[in-house]
Amino acid sequence: MPVQVIVFGQLTDILGHQPVTMEDAPDTSTLIQQLNQRYPALVNAPYIIAVDKKIVTGNTTLTGGNTVALLPPFAGG
Amino acid sequence: MTTERKIKNIFTQGPIPASFIADSIQKHDTKTNIGGHSIFLGQVRADVIDGNKVAAIEYTAYEEMALEKMHQIREDIFAKYPLVCMHVHHSLGKIATGEICLFVFTSAAHRKEAIDACTETVERIKAELPIWGKEIFENESYQWKENI
């Protein structure tokens, strides 16, 4: 099932501004491995993960059609 | 009875004008149960890093997520403090140094509640809202802002 990946802040320097579609990602760990291969600069970048706007910790199952956001450290205000 | 508050938009494109802040204060003159307002204004600072001076910060956000999170923060703050009202505005886009990028306005019957609620809201906005700032230097290079 395809998963849409969106990134913000400094991660747009690595992945650009457009959403990236990953075709076969059963869970967030697999997804990140795939992204790390495609974008090696991502490996050492700090970020947290949100699945459908909810922050997740640890490996999370993706059911397809999810939007996974990679969120670098927040800097509002 | 529970009060349902709608998700409010906090984002405004460009800087927050001083006249908007003045109008916002003026609008409270009919709410005579208020005895104290507390206002925090964030202003873009001209930091100098390795000899380069910041000229502007360009703000972006994961807007849908930020608005949901702000709604939750608002609910928490209203549950914790006896506020009459709270208003939050955050800029998006390029904000030049010296311009206002964050406006947090809390009002209560007494000063302590207004001040404490304002402080806690500002801290939570900085820590929890998915907002990013690109510090653009006078020589047009940039770095990503970090909150400390």
CSV table of all heavy atoms in Angstrom, one decimal, chain A residues 6 8-10 12-13 50 52-55 67 69 71-77, chain B residues 59 61-62 64-65 68 90 101-102 126-132 142 144-145 147:
chain,number,residue,atom,x,y,z
A,6,ILE,N,5.8,13.4,3.9
A,6,ILE,CA,6.0,14.8,3.8
A,6,ILE,C,7.0,15.3,4.8
A,6,ILE,O,7.1,14.7,5.9
A,6,ILE,CB,4.6,15.6,4.0
A,6,ILE,CG1,3.9,15.3,5.3
A,6,ILE,CG2,3.7,15.4,2.8
A,6,ILE,CD1,2.7,16.1,5.6
A,8,PHE,N,9.4,18.8,6.5
A,8,PHE,CA,9.4,20.2,6.8
A,8,PHE,C,10.7,20.7,7.2
A,8,PHE,O,11.6,19.9,7.5
A,8,PHE,CB,8.4,20.5,7.9
A,8,PHE,CG,6.9,20.1,7.6
A,8,PHE,CD1,6.5,18.8,7.9
A,8,PHE,CD2,6.1,21.0,7.0
A,8,PHE,CE1,5.2,18.5,7.5
A,8,PHE,CE2,4.8,20.7,6.6
A,8,PHE,CZ,4.4,19.4,6.9
A,9,GLY,N,10.9,22.0,7.4
A,9,GLY,CA,12.1,22.6,7.9
A,9,GLY,C,13.3,22.2,7.2
A,9,GLY,O,13.3,22.1,5.9
A,10,GLN,N,14.4,21.8,7.9
A,10,GLN,CA,15.7,21.5,7.3
A,10,GLN,C,15.6,20.2,6.5
A,10,GLN,O,16.4,20.0,5.6
A,10,GLN,CB,16.8,21.4,8.4
A,10,GLN,CG,16.4,20.7,9.7
A,10,GLN,CD,15.8,21.6,10.7
A,10,GLN,OE1,14.8,22.2,10.5
A,10,GLN,NE2,16.5,21.7,11.9
A,12,THR,N,13.5,19.7,4.2
A,12,THR,CA,13.2,20.0,2.8
A,12,THR,C,14.5,20.2,2.0
A,12,THR,O,14.5,20.2,0.8
A,12,THR,CB,12.3,21.3,2.7
A,12,THR,OG1,13.0,22.4,3.3
A,12,THR,CG2,11.0,21.1,3.4
A,13,ASP,N,15.6,20.5,2.7
A,13,ASP,CA,16.9,20.6,2.0
A,13,ASP,C,17.3,19.3,1.5
A,13,ASP,O,18.1,19.2,0.6
A,13,ASP,CB,18.0,21.1,3.0
A,13,ASP,CG,17.8,22.6,3.4
A,13,ASP,OD1,17.0,23.3,2.7
A,13,ASP,OD2,18.4,23.1,4.3
A,50,ALA,N,5.4,11.7,12.6
A,50,ALA,CA,3.9,11.7,12.9
A,50,ALA,C,3.2,10.9,11.8
A,50,ALA,O,3.5,11.1,10.6
A,50,ALA,CB,3.4,13.2,12.9
A,52,ASP,N,-0.4,10.4,10.2
A,52,ASP,CA,-1.7,11.1,10.1
A,52,ASP,C,-1.8,12.1,11.3
A,52,ASP,O,-2.8,12.1,12.0
A,52,ASP,CB,-2.8,10.0,10.2
A,52,ASP,CG,-2.7,9.1,9.0
A,52,ASP,OD1,-2.2,9.5,7.9
A,52,ASP,OD2,-3.1,7.9,9.1
A,53,LYS,N,-0.8,12.9,11.4
A,53,LYS,CA,-0.8,14.1,12.3
A,53,LYS,C,-0.6,13.7,13.8
A,53,LYS,O,-0.7,14.6,14.6
A,53,LYS,CB,-2.0,15.0,12.1
A,53,LYS,CG,-2.1,15.7,10.7
A,53,LYS,CD,-3.3,16.6,10.6
A,53,LYS,CE,-4.5,15.8,10.3
A,53,LYS,NZ,-5.7,16.6,10.1
A,54,LYS,N,-0.4,12.4,14.1
A,54,LYS,CA,-0.2,12.0,15.5
A,54,LYS,C,1.2,11.6,15.6
A,54,LYS,O,1.7,10.7,14.8
A,54,LYS,CB,-1.2,10.9,15.9
A,54,LYS,CG,-2.6,11.3,15.8
A,54,LYS,CD,-3.0,12.1,17.1
A,54,LYS,CE,-4.5,12.5,17.0
A,54,LYS,NZ,-4.7,13.9,16.4
A,55,ILE,N,1.9,12.1,16.6
A,55,ILE,CA,3.3,11.7,16.8
A,55,ILE,C,3.4,10.3,17.3
A,55,ILE,O,2.6,9.9,18.2
A,55,ILE,CB,4.0,12.7,17.9
A,55,ILE,CG1,4.1,14.1,17.2
A,55,ILE,CG2,5.3,12.2,18.3
A,55,ILE,CD1,4.5,15.2,18.2
A,67,THR,N,-0.4,9.3,5.8
A,67,THR,CA,0.5,10.4,5.5
A,67,THR,C,1.5,10.3,6.7
A,67,THR,O,1.2,10.5,7.9
A,67,THR,CB,-0.1,11.7,5.5
A,67,THR,OG1,-1.0,11.7,4.4
A,67,THR,CG2,0.9,12.8,5.3
A,69,ALA,N,4.7,12.1,8.3
A,69,ALA,CA,5.4,13.4,8.3
A,69,ALA,C,6.7,13.2,9.2
A,69,ALA,O,6.6,12.7,10.3
A,69,ALA,CB,4.6,14.5,8.9
A,71,LEU,N,9.3,15.3,11.2
A,71,LEU,CA,9.3,16.7,11.8
A,71,LEU,C,10.6,17.0,12.5
A,71,LEU,O,10.9,16.4,13.6
A,71,LEU,CB,8.2,16.7,12.8
A,71,LEU,CG,6.8,16.3,12.3
A,71,LEU,CD1,5.8,16.3,13.5
A,71,LEU,CD2,6.3,17.1,11.1
A,72,PRO,N,11.5,17.8,11.9
A,72,PRO,CA,12.7,18.2,12.6
A,72,PRO,C,12.3,19.1,13.8
A,72,PRO,O,11.2,19.4,14.0
A,72,PRO,CB,13.5,19.0,11.6
A,72,PRO,CG,12.5,19.4,10.6
A,72,PRO,CD,11.3,18.5,10.6
A,73,PRO,N,13.3,19.4,14.7
A,73,PRO,CA,13.0,20.1,15.9
A,73,PRO,C,12.2,21.4,15.7
A,73,PRO,O,12.6,22.2,14.8
A,73,PRO,CB,14.4,20.4,16.5
A,73,PRO,CG,15.3,19.3,16.0
A,73,PRO,CD,14.7,19.0,14.6
A,74,PHE,N,11.2,21.6,16.5
A,74,PHE,CA,10.3,22.7,16.2
A,74,PHE,C,11.0,24.1,16.6
A,74,PHE,O,11.8,24.1,17.5
A,74,PHE,CB,9.0,22.6,17.1
A,74,PHE,CG,8.2,21.3,16.9
A,74,PHE,CD1,7.4,20.8,17.9
A,74,PHE,CD2,8.4,20.6,15.7
A,74,PHE,CE1,6.7,19.6,17.6
A,74,PHE,CE2,7.6,19.4,15.5
A,74,PHE,CZ,6.8,19.0,16.5
A,75,ALA,N,10.6,25.1,15.9
A,75,ALA,CA,11.3,26.4,16.1
A,75,ALA,C,10.3,27.6,16.0
A,75,ALA,O,10.6,28.6,15.4
A,75,ALA,CB,12.4,26.5,15.1
A,76,GLY,N,9.1,27.3,16.5
A,76,GLY,CA,8.1,28.4,16.4
A,76,GLY,C,8.4,29.5,17.4
A,76,GLY,O,9.2,29.4,18.2
A,77,GLY,N,7.7,30.6,17.2
A,77,GLY,CA,7.8,31.8,18.1
A,77,GLY,C,8.9,32.7,17.7
A,77,GLY,O,9.7,32.4,16.7
B,59,TYR,N,8.9,31.6,8.1
B,59,TYR,CA,8.3,30.6,8.9
B,59,TYR,C,7.4,29.7,8.0
B,59,TYR,O,6.7,30.2,7.1
B,59,TYR,CB,7.3,31.2,10.0
B,59,TYR,CG,8.1,31.8,11.1
B,59,TYR,CD1,8.3,33.2,11.2
B,59,TYR,CD2,8.6,31.0,12.2
B,59,TYR,CE1,9.0,33.8,12.3
B,59,TYR,CE2,9.3,31.6,13.2
B,59,TYR,CZ,9.5,32.9,13.3
B,59,TYR,OH,10.2,33.5,14.3
B,61,ALA,N,4.9,25.9,8.5
B,61,ALA,CA,4.3,25.0,9.5
B,61,ALA,C,3.6,23.8,8.9
B,61,ALA,O,3.3,23.9,7.7
B,61,ALA,CB,3.3,25.8,10.3
B,62,TYR,N,3.5,22.8,9.7
B,62,TYR,CA,2.6,21.7,9.3
B,62,TYR,C,1.2,22.2,9.9
B,62,TYR,O,0.9,21.9,11.0
B,62,TYR,CB,3.1,20.4,10.0
B,62,TYR,CG,2.3,19.1,9.6
B,62,TYR,CD1,1.3,19.1,8.6
B,62,TYR,CD2,2.7,17.9,10.2
B,62,TYR,CE1,0.7,18.0,8.3
B,62,TYR,CE2,2.0,16.7,9.8
B,62,TYR,CZ,1.0,16.8,8.9
B,62,TYR,OH,0.4,15.6,8.6
B,64,GLU,N,-2.1,21.9,9.5
B,64,GLU,CA,-3.3,21.1,10.1
B,64,GLU,C,-2.9,20.5,11.5
B,64,GLU,O,-3.7,20.6,12.4
B,64,GLU,CB,-3.7,20.0,9.2
B,64,GLU,CG,-4.0,20.4,7.8
B,64,GLU,CD,-2.9,20.3,6.8
B,64,GLU,OE1,-1.7,20.6,7.2
B,64,GLU,OE2,-3.1,19.9,5.6
B,65,MET,N,-1.7,20.0,11.5
B,65,MET,CA,-1.3,19.4,12.8
B,65,MET,C,-1.1,20.5,13.9
B,65,MET,O,-1.5,20.3,15.0
B,65,MET,CB,0.0,18.6,12.6
B,65,MET,CG,0.5,17.9,13.9
B,65,MET,SD,2.0,16.9,13.5
B,65,MET,CE,2.5,16.6,15.2
B,68,GLU,N,-4.5,21.6,15.3
B,68,GLU,CA,-5.0,20.6,16.2
B,68,GLU,C,-4.3,20.6,17.5
B,68,GLU,O,-5.0,20.5,18.6
B,68,GLU,CB,-4.9,19.2,15.6
B,68,GLU,CG,-5.9,18.9,14.5
B,68,GLU,CD,-5.9,17.5,13.9
B,68,GLU,OE1,-5.2,16.6,14.6
B,68,GLU,OE2,-6.4,17.2,12.8
B,90,HIS,N,0.2,33.6,15.0
B,90,HIS,CA,1.6,33.3,14.6
B,90,HIS,C,1.8,33.5,13.2
B,90,HIS,O,0.9,33.2,12.3
B,90,HIS,CB,1.9,31.8,14.9
B,90,HIS,CG,3.4,31.5,15.0
B,90,HIS,ND1,4.2,31.7,13.8
B,90,HIS,CD2,4.2,31.1,16.0
B,90,HIS,CE1,5.5,31.4,14.2
B,90,HIS,NE2,5.5,31.0,15.4
B,101,CYS,N,6.2,38.4,15.2
B,101,CYS,CA,5.9,37.1,14.6
B,101,CYS,C,5.0,36.3,15.4
B,101,CYS,O,4.4,35.2,15.0
B,101,CYS,CB,7.1,36.4,14.2
B,101,CYS,SG,8.2,36.1,15.6
B,102,LEU,N,4.8,36.6,16.7
B,102,LEU,CA,4.0,35.9,17.6
B,102,LEU,C,3.2,36.8,18.6
B,102,LEU,O,3.9,37.7,19.2
B,102,LEU,CB,4.8,34.9,18.4
B,102,LEU,CG,4.1,34.1,19.5
B,102,LEU,CD1,3.0,33.2,19.0
B,102,LEU,CD2,5.1,33.2,20.3
B,126,LYS,N,6.1,27.1,21.7
B,126,LYS,CA,7.5,27.0,21.2
B,126,LYS,C,7.9,25.5,21.2
B,126,LYS,O,8.7,25.1,20.4
B,126,LYS,CB,8.5,27.8,22.1
B,126,LYS,CG,8.4,29.3,21.7
B,126,LYS,CD,9.4,30.1,22.5
B,126,LYS,CE,9.6,31.5,21.9
B,126,LYS,NZ,10.6,31.6,20.9
B,127,ALA,N,7.5,24.7,22.2
B,127,ALA,CA,7.9,23.4,22.3
B,127,ALA,C,7.1,22.4,21.5
B,127,ALA,O,7.6,21.3,21.1
B,127,ALA,CB,7.9,23.0,23.8
B,128,GLU,N,5.8,22.7,21.3
B,128,GLU,CA,4.9,21.6,20.8
B,128,GLU,C,4.3,21.9,19.4
B,128,GLU,O,3.8,20.9,18.8
B,128,GLU,CB,3.8,21.4,21.8
B,128,GLU,CG,4.3,20.9,23.1
B,128,GLU,CD,3.1,20.8,24.1
B,128,GLU,OE1,2.0,20.4,23.8
B,128,GLU,OE2,3.3,21.2,25.3
B,129,LEU,N,4.4,23.1,18.9
B,129,LEU,CA,3.7,23.3,17.6
B,129,LEU,C,4.8,23.1,16.5
B,129,LEU,O,5.9,23.5,16.5
B,129,LEU,CB,3.2,24.7,17.5
B,129,LEU,CG,2.0,25.1,18.3
B,129,LEU,CD1,1.4,26.4,17.9
B,129,LEU,CD2,1.0,24.0,18.5
B,130,PRO,N,4.3,22.3,15.4
B,130,PRO,CA,5.2,22.0,14.3
B,130,PRO,C,5.4,23.2,13.4
B,130,PRO,O,4.7,23.3,12.4
B,130,PRO,CB,4.6,20.8,13.6
B,130,PRO,CG,3.1,20.9,14.0
B,130,PRO,CD,3.0,21.6,15.3
B,131,ILE,N,6.3,24.1,13.8
B,131,ILE,CA,6.6,25.3,13.1
B,131,ILE,C,8.1,25.4,12.9
B,131,ILE,O,8.8,25.0,13.9
B,131,ILE,CB,6.0,26.6,13.8
B,131,ILE,CG1,4.5,26.5,14.0
B,131,ILE,CG2,6.4,27.9,13.1
B,131,ILE,CD1,4.0,27.6,14.9
B,132,TRP,N,8.5,25.8,11.8
B,132,TRP,CA,10.0,26.0,11.5
B,132,TRP,C,10.3,27.4,11.0
B,132,TRP,O,9.5,28.0,10.4
B,132,TRP,CB,10.4,24.9,10.5
B,132,TRP,CG,10.2,23.5,11.1
B,132,TRP,CD1,11.1,22.8,11.9
B,132,TRP,CD2,9.0,22.7,11.0
B,132,TRP,NE1,10.5,21.7,12.3
B,132,TRP,CE2,9.3,21.6,11.7
B,132,TRP,CE3,7.8,22.9,10.3
B,132,TRP,CZ2,8.3,20.5,11.8
B,132,TRP,CZ3,6.9,21.9,10.4
B,132,TRP,CH2,7.1,20.7,11.2
B,142,TYR,N,21.5,31.0,4.5
B,142,TYR,CA,20.5,30.8,5.6
B,142,TYR,C,20.9,29.6,6.5
B,142,TYR,O,21.8,28.8,6.2
B,142,TYR,CB,19.1,30.4,5.0
B,142,TYR,CG,19.0,29.1,4.2
B,142,TYR,CD1,18.7,27.9,4.9
B,142,TYR,CD2,19.3,29.0,2.9
B,142,TYR,CE1,18.7,26.7,4.3
B,142,TYR,CE2,19.3,27.8,2.2
B,142,TYR,CZ,18.9,26.6,2.9
B,142,TYR,OH,18.9,25.4,2.3
B,144,TRP,N,18.7,27.0,9.7
B,144,TRP,CA,17.5,26.7,10.3
B,144,TRP,C,17.5,27.1,11.8
B,144,TRP,O,18.4,26.7,12.5
B,144,TRP,CB,17.1,25.3,10.1
B,144,TRP,CG,16.8,25.0,8.6
B,144,TRP,CD1,17.6,24.6,7.7
B,144,TRP,CD2,15.5,25.2,8.0
B,144,TRP,NE1,17.0,24.5,6.5
B,144,TRP,CE2,15.7,24.9,6.6
B,144,TRP,CE3,14.3,25.7,8.4
B,144,TRP,CZ2,14.7,25.0,5.7
B,144,TRP,CZ3,13.3,25.8,7.5
B,144,TRP,CH2,13.5,25.5,6.1
B,145,LYS,N,16.5,27.9,12.2
B,145,LYS,CA,16.4,28.3,13.6
B,145,LYS,C,16.2,27.2,14.5
B,145,LYS,O,15.5,26.2,14.2
B,145,LYS,CB,15.2,29.3,13.6
B,145,LYS,CG,14.8,29.8,15.0
B,145,LYS,CD,13.6,30.8,14.8
B,145,LYS,CE,13.1,31.3,16.1
B,145,LYS,NZ,12.2,30.4,16.8
B,147,ASN,N,15.1,26.5,18.6
B,147,ASN,CA,14.6,27.1,19.8
B,147,ASN,C,15.4,26.6,21.0
B,147,ASN,O,15.7,25.4,21.1
B,147,ASN,CB,13.1,26.7,20.1
B,147,ASN,CG,12.2,27.5,19.3
B,147,ASN,OD1,12.6,28.5,18.7
B,147,ASN,ND2,10.9,27.2,19.3
